Amino acid sequence: MDWKKYAFLLIPFLLLGIILVVYLPHEQIHYATLVPLVFWAIYYIWIYIEKRQRKE
């Protein structure tokens, strides 16, 4: 795990998740669960692209 990338992405996504949980209406609170999924997708895509560039 690359801690610098993890921390770089975690801060804005954590803030976004908290804001969504606080401000979304109760019927739409399930949209806040998409934040961690997008976070991990972006993190692993970033790692994949870096590994691919190192090989070349």
Side-chain angles (χ1 to χ4, degrees), residues 6-47:
Y6 182 81
F8 181 76
L9 290 173
L10 182 65
I11 294 168
F13 276 96
L14 188 61
L15 290 173
L16 179 63
I18 291 170
I19 289 170
L20 287 177
V21 167
V22 171
Y23 289 110
L24 280 177
H26 183 68
E27 299 83 27
Q28 297 177 345
I29 202 78
H30 61 278
Y31 289 123
T33 59
L34 293 175
V35 173
L37 296 174
V38 173
F39 167 80
W40 285 113
I42 291 173
Y43 175 77
Y44 281 115
I45 289 169
W46 191 359
I47 298 296

